[in-house]
Amino acid sequence: MIRKKLIAGNWKMNKTSSDATALVTELVAEVGRTSDVDIVVCPPFTSLEVVGKAIEGSSIKLGAQNMHHEASGAYTGEISAAMLRAIFTNYVILGHSERRTYFGETDAFINKKVLAALKNQLKPILCVGETLAERESGSTLKVVQTQLEANLEGVSKDLATNVVIAYEPVWAIGTGKVATTEQAQEVHAFIRSLLVKLFGDAIAQKVRILYGGSMKPANAPELLSQKDIDGGLIGGAALEARSFTDLIKSAAAVK
Ligand code: PEP
């Protein structure tokens, strides 16, 4: 298979450092030697360093949930790409719908972060997706296209394979409502076609497109067996070792 599956856990604003250490210690014991699936954990900033230490020597990689695009300076409360790299962070979630909705992040702002992440050898997990109103009005593909094209503006072909896209229908995040496999595959295939236009076929075939939105061990096998679904960005089910490791095993079982 050309694209290795990737399962990323977005812990959001959950877990103190000691809770985070306990969870990641279980993950390392259970799946820390997995090589047929890429595994990423994205704890809150306060736990990045302890989680980074706990995964040393395992195949699990570290991701952050956000960053600022400037290198340093007077941006109270913010964290730069270089700070993340200094503690061996490999991935960063950008443009999550919660950042877009609650913190007013625009497509142009997210684009600056994507470019800054890539410049600093961080792999962006770029989230795009429509709201329920947008789906019901038939504008899903248009919304995803607008976000994707704006967020990836200026990304070079050389760096494009370092980008991971997460298709996350906003109405499916944390709601228990999962997109049907047909709904998800349709948007994933559309995203792949946009990537072909932006970067050419060879590169587009290498970019991983994750599904996110109430993915659980029960619905993962069907979603993950779709042609253009290359893994999952997992919220709720990543907060507990059993469900997260079951998701990883589902991804590993897909041929
Ligand atoms: C997310 O927030 O990225 C997400 C997919 O959450 P959940 O799995 O809880 O829907």
Side-chain angles (χ1 to χ4, degrees), residues 91-112:
Y91 291 82
V92 59
I93 298 171
L94 296 176
H96 192 281
S97 66
E98 287 151 17
R99 303 280 332 157
R100 294 178 191 258
T101 306
Y102 304 136
F103 303 97
E105 292 198 8
T106 62
D107 282 330
F109 189 56
I110 294 161
N111 176 238
K112 288 185 186 168

Side-chain angles (χ1 to χ4, degrees), residues 7 11-12 41 45 49-50 68 72 81 89 97 100 106 109 115 136-137 153 155 160 163 171 176 187-188 224:
I7 298 290
W11 296 0
K12 309 194 185 190
V41 289
F45 288 136
E49 205 158 1
V50 286
H68 196 273
S72 62
T89 308
S97 66
R100 294 178 191 258
T106 62
F109 189 56
L115 296 175
E136 286 176 347
S137 68
E153 202 178 315
V155 171
V163 178
W171 48 271
V187 181
H188 281 237
L224 292 171

Side-chain angles (χ1 to χ4, degrees), residues 38-83:
D38 285 337
I39 305 168
V40 180
V41 289
C42 305
F45 288 136
T46 48
S47 302
L48 277 171
E49 205 158 1
V50 286
V51 169
K53 291 226 159 44
I55 60 177
E56 263 174 31
S58 81
S59 57
I60 301 174
K61 299 278 188 256
L62 189 63
Q65 298 175 20
N66 184 29
M67 53 163 258
H68 196 273
H69 62 274
E70 293 290 351
S72 62
Y75 299 98
T76 302
E78 292 293 330
I79 303 275
S80 74
M83 291 172 188

Side-chain angles (χ1 to χ4, degrees), residues 132 169-180 211 213-216 219:
L132 186 58
V170 179
W171 48 271
I173 297 177
T175 58
K177 288 184 198 152
V178 65
T180 64
Y211 170 79
S214 299
M215 195 189 262
K216 306 260 179 304
N219 56 35

Side-chain angles (χ1 to χ4, degrees), residues 180-215:
T180 64
T181 48
E182 293 75 22
Q183 286 172 326
Q185 168 58 26
E186 181 199 14
V187 181
H188 281 237
F190 176 70
I191 292 173
R192 182 101 46 219
S193 75
L194 291 173
L195 294 172
V196 172
K197 275 194 216 141
L198 291 172
F199 304 113
D201 190 56
I203 290 169
Q205 296 308 326
K206 289 186 188 155
V207 174
R208 284 172 302 181
I209 308 173
L210 314 182
Y211 170 79
S214 299
M215 195 189 262

